[in-house]
Amino acid sequence: MQLLFEQLLNGLQLSLTLFLLAAGLTLVFGIMGVINLAHGSLYMLGAYAGALAASKIGGFWLAVPAALIAAGLIGVAMELLVIRSLYARDHLSQVLATFGLILFFNGVIAWGVGRAPLQMDMPALLSGFLEIAPGLPYPTYRLAVMGVGVVVALGLWYVIARTRLGMLIRAGSDKREMVSALGVDIASLFTLVFGLGALLAGLAGVMVGPIRSVQIGMGEQVLITTFVVIVVGGIGSIRGAFVGALLIGMCDTLGRAFAPMVLKLWLSGPLADGLGAALASIMIYLVMALVLIVRPRGLFPAGG
Amino acid sequence: MAINRQIVAGLLIAACLLAVPFAAPYLGGNYVITLATRVVIFAIAASSLDLLIGRGALVSFGHAAYFGLGGYVVGICAFHLANDVTIFGWAGSNEALVVWPLAMLVSGFAALVIGALSLRTSGVYFIMITLAFAQMIYFVFVALKYYGGDDGLAMTSRNLFAGTRITNAQTFYWISLCALALCLLIQWRLVVSRFGMALRGAASNERRMAALGFSVYGYRLVAFVIAGMMAGLAGALWANLNRFVSPDMLGWVRSGEFMVMVIMGGVSSLLGPVIGAAAFLLVETALAGWTEHWQIAFGPFVLLVALFAPRGIWGLLRGRAGP
Amino acid sequence: MNALTLEGVTKSFGALRASDDVTLAIEANCCHAVIGPNGAGKTTLIGQITGEIRPDAGRIRFFDQDITDWTTPRRALAGLGRSFQITQLCADFSALDNVALAVQARQGHSYRFLRAAGSDARLRDPAMAALERVGLGERAQIRVDVLSHGERRQLELAAALATEPRMLVLDEPMAGMGPQESERMIAILHALRGEVTILLVEHDMDAVFALADRISVLVNGAVLMTGDPAAVRADPAVRAAYLGAPAP
């Protein structure tokens, strides 16, 4: 029971992290029609910037702004230099160009920082455990991550539902004329949205840093999971990204925790372990396949 | 004009590929033959992907799955034979004429299942779903510790070909080259056949095709299976070349690389993917020999191809003049 | 005998009722025109007849079969050919190949893998015949993206004819054509009258009155009236709906 509760919280924490990534990716696709494979690189760069700032200059509290600034700036530069040329191009060119970006960023990190994973320390303030229920301690840091995730999700909802920027975002790419008729510079709007997505990805990266190790390739793994999230949720929909992140985050965490156990009820020994591990790691893809069989455009298809 | 250039380019490529074993002793011996064999095997995989991307406008981002599955079939059959453990009551095999077709069947079957689901979607969904399914297979093999998991599976020797050993690098190159020639021949016929017309028509204008009475799903699925089988053959050859298979064969980076080869060479052209595979491996080898951090240069190179040469090397060769 | 029957076909997009209880019967081998002002729901109606849009309510019958739940390809194979308002062709194919695709569809499945379609006389000959019929015989090898607008419209018709349809649904075949091109198209369609059922949706009133045996007037998604050309011409309600439109 205690284990289940703990895993539910872990699942929630993963979900919120995934949401930070999925929100940016789905906005960029929904508004600009660009598939950005390098979104995971922004996550990785945020984590690296944070880890380096923490170890070289000092402290976790410096890591967060360092990650945000790095990811935001690199994101804006990426939009101005590369992504901008891809708006009018087909998906194939977009995939190829952003694939090139991933290789580049991985190469730069390997060259500048090295291939060995970095460890990032938690801030002392958050490194303990908090007894969230009698006899149930839970890492304070993870709670803090969840708190940030919830705050960002609410903030994003507010921006999109209540502000002028959100109205422009909701107007989407199919109403470009309308948006420009309002006297808005589309190019700046796109740069802003892309930068916002980069910021969220960097934030997710630096928050995950102390939980997992910071290494090359971390971006691609999470990118593919994020793809699953937005495909399940419906590409272009923030609400879909949120529901998809919850579904996928929970399935992944609970699957990893319980699939081997459940299989042991029927099977025995190493076979159950092997199958259980395999089942756990493909759980989210099975969920995706199931969703798509029923709804080929995801749970909340954007734009009808 | 364009036709003449195609024929000239084709003859040139064929001449280069045929000359490799004869020129190799003067260029560095087996190293060159092995590099050429890698080009040939990747060319098979890339051209099979072009059947989807170029002819079918189906941007599959999970093509490495079929490549890797083909490799694993070879690896697993050899593993069971070597360790004297049966698989589904079968002792395993080391005979190419048995395991290579088996590799193609398994890859084709995987393509059938994955394609049947993925082709229900289109556009960016299709890209992401094919990627996700490939990752799923990747993780299955990472989790299968019995077959080496992350570390992969080594083979003690190459397959026998009709009972004969193929340790000789030249012999293996000739076999791979024959496989490539066969695949290209099939593709060449396929593209202009009724099936190819239907597939290309669906890529060009799906609405028109529906109005004429074509249910495009079936044609696309068949193309998906054919491409999967060819990629499976490439994977089986790759396993034999390296006497080793690992989950990296199925990883998404490999899928991306196949895509780069197709586009770098030129989509919707018979020879483009062959040129692309050669260019990819030569650039990669040259950069890797120059610096350990070759990706820093290779990434922007890929980016520039995507931005400025979307029709690839073949497109540049063919010039701007018409089809 | 009726070629096409619509019974109470209704379709809404949000608050907009694009098809409002449309009931229509189109007699076999007759040329039936549907006219109406912009936004009357003509495109939605064609979408439902060809299977691209599912009606919310009502049934559609094609000869003796209920096709309401059929897919577009199935309707096409049953003999429902169409042309599009905005040309839909395979732009990177030659004119001949576009028509050959139609012949291929007519001849059944295309799961033939090794024989070149381009040299297959069973495809080429009927395709050429269809091209000749619309006057494009000499343009057979030209790529579609090089053809003129008028030629593409003719090619659309040739492709539809090559499927040997029992009924042709023509969505504004004269759209964007000059007077000469329109005249040629009218002549081509005139030659088809009586041989195949035609449902003609058209803005060009000269063409409609030159070709149609019966005319239905669609206003705000509903059928205002159906009658022969003379009756429609004389109807005051139609004139009101077509305020400013050329009346005799």
Side-chain angles (χ1 to χ4, degrees):
Chain A
M1 191 60 215
Q2 193 177 329
L3 179 67
L4 176 67
F5 198 67
E6 199 178 315
Q7 292 301 334
L8 280 175
L9 282 174
N10 285 348
L12 191 62
Q13 182 244 313
L14 176 63
S15 301
L16 287 164
T17 311
L18 284 175
F19 174 68
L20 292 185
L21 286 157
L25 199 61
T26 209
L27 275 184
V28 166
F29 184 78
I31 297 170
M32 310 169 198
V34 169
I35 311 175
N36 179 23
L37 297 186
H39 199 67
S41 295
L42 293 166
Y43 168 85
M44 173 186 78
L45 291 168
Y48 266 97
L52 289 177
S55 64
K56 295 267 152 66
I57 310 172
F60 177 83
W61 301 111
L62 201 68
V64 175
L68 292 180
I69 292 170
L73 284 181
I74 295 171
V76 168
M78 204 197 274
E79 200 275 343
L80 292 175
L81 292 173
V82 178
I83 305 293
R84 180 159 289 195
S85 325
L86 294 173
Y87 294 143
R89 305 293 285 275
D90 58 4
H91 293 326
L92 194 58
S93 299
Q94 295 169 353
V95 166
L96 197 65
T98 51
F99 179 74
L101 283 178
I102 294 181
L103 295 181
F104 173 69
F105 285 123
N106 286 350
V108 167
I109 293 286
W111 171 66
V113 186
R115 292 185 197 277
L118 299 183
Q119 300 301 327
M120 197 174 156
D121 292 330
M122 279 178 204
L125 181 66
L126 300 174
S127 61
F129 286 82
L130 206 70
E131 198 162 307
I132 45 176
L136 188 67
Y138 193 76
T140 317
Y141 183 77
R142 284 177 181 260
L143 286 174
V145 169
M146 278 188 253
V148 172
V150 169
V151 168
V152 171
L154 285 175
L156 210 56
W157 169 79
Y158 178 81
V159 168
I160 288 177
R162 293 289 143 91
T163 65
R164 184 175 150 80
L165 174 65
M167 191 267 289
L168 295 171
I169 289 174
R170 273 180 289 128
S173 59
D174 44 42
K175 290 177 191 144
R176 273 179 206 197
E177 301 80 16
M178 188 201 91
V179 175
S180 26
L182 291 172
V184 177
D185 177 10
I186 290 278
S188 320
L189 176 70
F190 282 6
T191 311
L192 184 68
V193 171
F194 195 87
L196 185 71
L199 217 60
L200 293 178
L203 178 65
V206 71
M207 289 200 311
V208 164
I211 302 176
R212 302 182 188 175
S213 60
V214 175
Q215 57 185 332
I216 295 170
M218 67 187 285
E220 287 88 87
Q221 254 177 0
V222 86
L223 173 81
I224 292 165
T225 314
T226 309
F227 272 166
V228 173
V229 165
I230 66 174
V231 163
V232 164
I235 301 171
S237 155
I238 287 281
R239 188 162 54 133
F242 190 75
V243 174
L246 273 179
L247 188 64
I248 294 304
M250 286 296 180
C251 279
D252 193 46
T253 310
L254 298 181
R256 279 176 206 284
F258 299 111
M261 255 190 251
V262 172
L263 271 183
K264 275 198 180 133
L265 296 177
W266 291 287
L267 300 165
S268 59
L271 185 62
D273 285 338
L275 272 181
L279 186 64
S281 48
I282 65 172
M283 189 77 95
I284 58 171
Y285 305 106
L286 292 178
V287 170
M288 180 193 71
L290 278 179
V291 168
L292 288 173
I293 290 169
V294 186
R295 306 190 66 151
R297 286 166 57 80
L299 295 173
F300 298 95
Chain B
M1 179 67 190
I3 298 290
N4 288 342
R5 277 201 207 174
Q6 277 184 31
I7 291 170
V8 170
L11 289 175
L12 265 177
I13 291 168
C16 287
L17 289 174
L18 289 172
V20 166
F22 304 106
Y26 308 101
L27 294 171
N30 278 356
Y31 171 76
V32 171
I33 295 189
T34 304
L35 181 63
T37 313
R38 289 170 64 199
V39 168
V40 166
I41 294 171
F42 275 166
I44 296 174
S47 81
S48 72
L49 180 58
D50 186 44
L51 181 65
L52 303 179
I53 291 184
R55 314 297 184 176
L58 302 167
V59 183
S60 167
F61 200 170
H63 210 56
Y66 318 107
F67 180 76
L69 273 177
Y72 262 100
V73 167
V74 168
I76 287 170
C77 288
F79 172 83
H80 282 277
L81 189 69
N83 292 329
D84 224 0
V85 188
T86 57
I87 175 168
F88 302 122
W90 181 48
S93 173
N94 204 14
E95 170 56 57
L97 296 181
V98 174
V99 291
W100 295 4
L102 186 66
M104 292 173 73
L105 276 181
V106 170
S107 291
F109 181 72
L112 179 69
V113 175
I114 293 175
L117 286 170
S118 307
L119 286 167
R120 288 168 50 83
T121 67
S122 61
V124 66
Y125 282 88
F126 184 79
I127 298 176
M128 294 187 182
I129 283 152
T130 48
L131 170 66
F133 276 121
Q135 281 305 102
M136 179 162 138
I137 295 176
Y138 169 84
F139 282 121
V140 166
F141 279 99
V142 168
L144 280 177
K145 299 284 180 249
Y146 186 67
Y147 294 126
D150 243 342
D151 299 328
L153 198 57
M155 293 161 63
T156 45
S157 66
R158 280 191 189 141
N159 289 147
L160 302 173
F161 194 86
T164 323
R165 293 166 66 85
I166 38 174
T167 39
N168 184 309
Q170 286 202 15
T171 316
F172 189 68
Y173 176 75
W174 287 120
I175 291 173
S176 305
L177 194 58
C178 287
L180 173 63
L182 192 67
C183 286
L184 290 180
L185 185 72
I186 291 173
Q187 286 234 28
W188 176 54
R189 300 305 300 166
L190 214 57
V191 164
V192 295
S193 71
R194 289 188 182 213
F195 171 78
M197 292 290 285
L199 183 67
R200 283 153 57 211
S204 178
N205 194 330
E206 196 172 339
R207 220 174 146 201
R208 153 66 38 193
M209 294 299 278
L212 291 181
F214 286 99
S215 302
V216 297
Y217 180 86
Y219 300 101
R220 288 177 169 164
L221 187 56
V222 169
F224 212 79
V225 171
I226 293 173
M229 290 176 78
M230 285 184 180
L233 175 63
L237 290 168
W238 188 251
N240 271 284
L241 176 66
N242 302 309
R243 279 173 275 127
F244 177 69
V245 291
S246 77
D248 280 349
M249 273 181 85
L250 320 125
W252 78 282
V253 174
R254 176 100 322 145
S255 293
E257 286 173 355
F258 287 153
M259 241 157 141
V260 173
M261 290 175 207
V262 170
I263 299 161
M264 208 195 293
V267 288
S268 292
S269 61
L270 192 63
L271 297 171
V274 181
I275 300 172
F280 181 94
L281 279 170
L282 295 179
V283 171
E284 188 193 71
T285 308
L287 287 176
W290 173 52
T291 163
E292 180 198 351
H293 301 294
W294 58 276
Q295 284 188 327
I296 298 182
F298 197 64
F301 174 70
V302 170
L303 178 67
L304 292 177
V305 168
L307 288 180
F308 300 111
R311 304 299 300 172
I313 298 170
W314 185 254
L316 296 176
L317 281 179
R318 205 172 56 182
R320 288 173 181 280
Chain C
M1 184 183 189
N2 287 332
L4 186 78
T5 322
L6 278 66
E7 290 158 14
V9 169
T10 301
K11 177 78 192 176
S12 301
F13 297 105
L16 177 76
R17 194 154 254 225
S19 292
D20 188 1
D21 194 19
V22 174
T23 296
L24 258 184
I26 292 160
E27 212 175 298
N29 295 334
C30 139
C31 179
H32 194 125
V34 171
I35 60 172
N38 280 326
K42 302 189 292 287
T43 303
T44 306
L45 196 64
I46 286 193
Q48 291 171 101
I49 292 170
T50 56
E52 289 185 337
I53 301 173
R54 271 196 67 84
D56 297 333
R59 308 305 298 177
I60 302 170
R61 297 179 64 78
F62 185 55
F63 289 94
D64 44 8
Q65 284 169 305
D66 186 327
I67 62 167
T68 317
D69 301 320
W70 289 19
T71 61
T72 302
R74 192 169 172 202
R75 293 180 201 212
L77 290 178
L80 190 63
R82 77 167 295 184
S83 75
F84 292 88
Q85 183 183 2
I86 297 163
T87 315
Q88 300 286 341
L89 292 160
C90 297
D92 48 345
F93 282 40
S94 70
L96 182 63
D97 282 345
N98 266 280
V99 186
L101 272 174
V103 179
Q104 216 174 291
R106 175 80 235 163
Q107 290 179 356
H109 70 81
S110 296
Y111 292 102
R112 296 185 195 178
F113 298 94
L114 297 178
R115 188 166 168 198
S119 55
D120 188 341
R122 280 172 307 158
L123 290 178
R124 282 179 65 99
D125 296 350
M128 270 315 289
L131 280 177
E132 304 273 1
R133 192 151 187 195
V134 301
L136 282 179
E138 283 168 14
R139 306 285 281 164
Q141 301 300 337
I142 310 289
R143 264 173 67 125
V144 166
D145 45 15
V146 185
L147 291 179
S148 74
H149 174 78
E151 286 173 329
R152 288 186 212 176
R153 313 254 14 152
Q154 283 163 263
L155 183 56
E156 280 239 336
L157 185 62
L161 285 176
T163 63
E164 293 172 29
R166 300 165 83 185
M167 174 168 171
L168 269 178
V169 178
L170 304 176
D171 193 354
E172 300 198 19
M174 324 286 168
M177 280 188 165
Q180 270 187 330
E181 289 174 324
S182 285
E183 244 169 69
R184 193 189 306 159
M185 184 59 95
I186 290 173
I188 295 167
L189 292 179
H190 210 85
L192 290 172
R193 287 183 58 201
E195 178 185 329
V196 55
T197 315
I198 296 175
L199 176 63
L200 176 69
V201 172
E202 185 51 65
H203 267 305
D204 182 337
M205 287 304 130
D206 291 340
V208 168
F209 286 108
L211 291 167
D213 303 309
R214 309 232 346 133
I215 297 174
S216 293
V217 184
L218 205 61
V219 177
N220 294 331
V223 179
L224 187 68
M225 75 161 295
T226 297
D228 58 34
V232 169
R233 221 186 268 256
D235 193 280
V238 174
R239 285 188 164 179
Y242 262 97
L243 211 62

